[in-house]
Amino acid sequence: MTERIPGVLGEGVSTRTRWASLVLLGLFGALMIAASPGLPRVGDANSVPANHVADYYIEKGYEQTGVPNIVTAVLADYRGYDTMGETTVIFVAGLSCLLILGTQRTLRRVEELDLDSPFGSVVLDLGCRLLVPFILLFALYVVFHGHSSPGGGFQGGTFLAAAAILIRLVRGKGESWGFSRRQALIVASIGGSLYVWIGIIPMFYGKQFLDYSGLPLAVTDIPHLRAYGTLGIELGVALTVMGVLIIIFDCLLGKEE
Amino acid sequence: MTINMVYGHLEYYLVAILLVMGLYGMIASTNLMRKVMAMNIMQVAVIVFFISLASKQGAMAPVLPLDENHHVKSVLAHEVVNPLPHALMLTAIVVSVATTGLALALLIRINRHFGSLEESVILEKMVKE
Amino acid sequence: MLRLDILFIVLMIACAWGILNVKSHISAVVIFGAFSFFSCTFFVVTGALDVAFTEAAVGAVITTVYFMLAIYKTGENVVPVRRKVRGGPNP
């Protein structure tokens, strides 16, 4: 029998705890349902959240920013500061995984297979070799075409990391084909600093932080210039997301360098 | 609460059920891996709530189309879905994958130290130390 | 009038029930991948294409692989072997 620990909700989950939590959660759910008449009807076009600010972004978005995909325009241009914070969050998560799991040698507590040798047969190996170039090409297409179709930096970065993960899954822990953990860390840092430097450079020309119309490119049209700034931002985000997802995968795998 | 209002708000009720299920899974699961999965269920439920708040009936996706001269058409605001919550939810999805990766790294460390992932076993060993 | 979005949320609730109540962890991860795909389809039906793309890439590819790796590393897929009792009849 386990002892009673002060401050913790009982030893394991007893029946009394289970019923108490069910009652409390039922009250919470009933409270949420009772508060829902204050929300607009689903699909209502005249509701308060759908007016005032979103109208401005939809109607003036293309002529001010030069990006037909309104979600990318909002994410990288109008709300670019929040996206910088989110890039910082995912970079910090990658660094924390390195701190937690990256510095110890793997202990063998469970009898495991040898992860250094390639797993599969000729079929898996050949499939991997055929697929990886196309995955990388599609990922770059998604990043650069995020202007005028659904896509953008996050999606492209995830697919780039997926290609590296496919290589590790098929060929074994030791193979990295140029995407090792050290290089992924360098790439993630380059992505983050690219974002911040695209924000700082307009300050040298008298504009505000993250104001893309101050970038020193040979384009005179302001929406065009802002579209180029958005492109640079998306590239930085893609590189950071790719680097961090590869770092977290390597830390979970227990690969030493 | 008339039937008309229930039908108009039905998605919000279902999202509330999903959220409560995720929360109950976090409280009542004894295995730590199930707790992390329940946390992910809660995150997806919140994202579904915001996206259903942003939908408009009969409206198109927020990507401006091209007309026959390959110029971008201008649209009216009430025929395009509200794009502001979409941008916020993209951030939320990326933060959720970062949190899941970090939680799994912590789980592997906990397992290495205590030897198992069951909550009762871990609490026993913590009392002994 | 077919309300596809309500149908997909109901399927997501069924998947969530499955995740919390199956015994094996690998089954829970597979059902979690299905849950992610149902949420991605809900986003497509509602018109949020960028969010659907991100959820499909992240939920089905990245998170499922991370969970499988964590299950493998913590040994949760290994069922403990019962020891044979000496002197008793073999099962």
Side-chain angles (χ1 to χ4, degrees):
Chain A
M1 289 294 291
T2 59
E3 298 175 359
R4 202 111 202 148
I5 301 164
V8 179
L9 191 71
E11 72 272 344
V13 179
S14 55
T15 315
R16 197 178 58 191
T17 309
R18 204 178 279 260
W19 280 109
S21 64
L22 271 177
V23 162
L24 275 177
L25 288 176
L27 278 178
F28 181 59
L31 194 64
M32 279 201 284
I33 290 180
S36 70
L39 292 169
R41 279 180 71 99
V42 177
D44 195 10
N46 297 326
S47 59
V48 173
N51 290 333
H52 311 302
V53 178
D55 282 0
Y56 183 84
Y57 288 154
I58 292 172
E59 284 168 5
K60 302 246 174 15
Y62 180 65
E63 68 187 61
Q64 283 189 350
T65 61
V67 176
N69 186 0
I70 304 177
V71 176
T72 303
V74 169
L75 199 60
D77 196 330
Y78 287 118
R79 306 276 164 120
Y81 200 57
D82 298 339
T83 310
M84 187 175 81
E86 173 226 329
T87 311
T88 310
V89 163
I90 192 167
F91 188 65
V92 165
L95 287 184
S96 311
C97 277
L98 268 180
L99 276 177
I100 292 175
L101 275 185
T103 54
Q104 294 211 339
R105 302 196 52 85
T106 54
L107 305 168
R108 301 239 161 173
R109 286 212 183 205
V110 177
E111 276 298 312
E112 359 180 297
L113 293 173
D114 183 20
L115 285 178
D116 285 325
S117 56
F119 292 123
S121 54
V122 182
V123 176
L124 274 181
D125 199 39
L126 194 61
C128 163
R129 282 172 195 268
L130 277 178
L131 274 179
V132 166
F134 290 107
I135 294 178
L136 291 174
L137 194 63
F138 182 68
L140 281 180
Y141 161 76
V142 162
V143 172
F144 284 106
H145 212 62
H147 265 222
S148 33
S149 75
F154 307 123
Q155 294 89 335
T158 310
F159 280 125
L160 286 171
I165 289 176
L166 180 64
I167 293 171
R168 277 168 181 72
L169 283 179
V170 171
R171 303 273 304 179
K173 192 161 77 163
E175 298 260 348
S176 55
W177 279 10
F179 277 113
S180 67
R181 194 167 85 187
R182 185 187 198 91
Q183 284 158 350
L185 192 56
I186 292 176
V187 163
S189 313
I190 286 177
S193 41
L194 181 68
Y195 199 123
V196 175
W197 275 106
I198 287 184
I200 287 184
I201 284 179
M203 289 174 80
F204 294 137
Y205 289 87
K207 303 284 177 100
Q208 291 181 346
F209 182 60
L210 283 176
D211 190 3
Y212 304 138
S213 51
L215 286 176
L217 295 175
V219 176
T220 52
D221 209 14
I222 286 202
H224 236 106
L225 201 51
R226 285 171 81 155
Y228 278 120
T230 310
L231 185 63
I233 295 277
E234 294 285 324
L235 203 56
V237 168
L239 290 176
T240 304
V241 168
M242 167 180 111
V244 167
L245 289 180
I246 294 177
I247 286 173
I248 297 182
F249 185 82
D250 273 344
C251 287
L252 288 178
L253 193 58
K255 185 170 150 152
E256 297 110 21
E257 191 41 33
Chain B
M1 306 258 270
T2 62
I3 290 289
N4 198 13
M5 188 161 69
V6 168
Y7 181 69
H9 292 237
L10 192 55
E11 296 186 15
Y12 302 140
Y13 300 158
L14 294 174
V15 165
I17 292 176
L18 201 61
L19 193 70
V20 164
M21 277 175 76
L23 201 52
Y24 178 65
M26 277 188 88
I27 293 177
S29 292
T30 46
N31 200 335
L32 292 181
M33 186 84 72
R34 291 297 160 98
K35 283 191 206 267
V36 175
M37 288 188 199
M39 178 178 82
N40 249 315
I41 292 176
M42 270 171 55
Q43 283 166 332
V44 172
V46 167
I47 292 171
V48 164
F49 172 70
F50 269 98
I51 299 293
S52 70
L53 196 59
S55 66
K56 291 181 191 170
Q57 223 169 11
M60 66 175 205
V63 179
L64 296 177
L66 301 174
D67 60 4
E68 54 270 357
N69 293 333
H70 293 281
H71 293 301
V72 173
K73 271 202 297 203
S74 65
V75 288
L76 293 173
H78 64 85
E79 57 189 47
V80 173
V81 164
N82 188 3
L84 195 51
H86 296 346
L88 304 175
M89 290 307 113
L90 272 179
T91 306
I93 290 178
V94 172
V95 166
S96 109
V97 75
T99 311
T100 302
L102 198 54
L104 290 175
L106 279 173
L107 278 189
I108 292 180
R109 238 353 241 272
I110 288 176
N111 183 54
R112 224 184 258 174
H113 190 74
F114 288 110
S116 104
L117 275 186
E118 283 287 324
E119 201 182 46
S120 47
V121 174
I122 292 177
L123 286 174
E124 259 188 67
K125 291 200 177 161
M126 269 171 65
V127 166
K128 279 189 203 151
E129 283 176 13
Chain C
M1 185 177 55
L2 192 59
R3 291 293 299 264
L4 277 177
D5 37 6
I6 294 182
L7 170 72
F8 281 114
I9 301 188
V10 168
L11 283 172
M12 280 164 70
I13 291 178
C15 281
W17 176 258
I19 289 172
L20 297 176
N21 279 334
V22 287
K23 292 231 170 10
S24 149
H25 288 288
I26 296 186
S27 313
V29 171
V30 171
I31 300 178
F32 182 77
F35 175 80
S36 213
F37 262 127
F38 281 136
S39 78
C40 166
T41 319
F42 171 80
F43 295 146
V44 169
V45 164
T46 322
L49 295 177
D50 283 49
V51 183
F53 207 147
T54 311
E55 176 70 35
V58 158
V61 177
I62 301 288
T63 309
T64 311
V65 170
Y66 282 176
F67 269 119
M68 283 292 188
L69 210 51
I71 289 175
Y72 193 73
K73 279 283 167 182
T74 58
E76 299 267 332
N77 55 342
V78 173
V79 175
V81 177
R82 285 183 196 226
R83 298 181 183 277
K84 278 193 194 163
V85 177
R86 283 189 183 269
N90 281 335

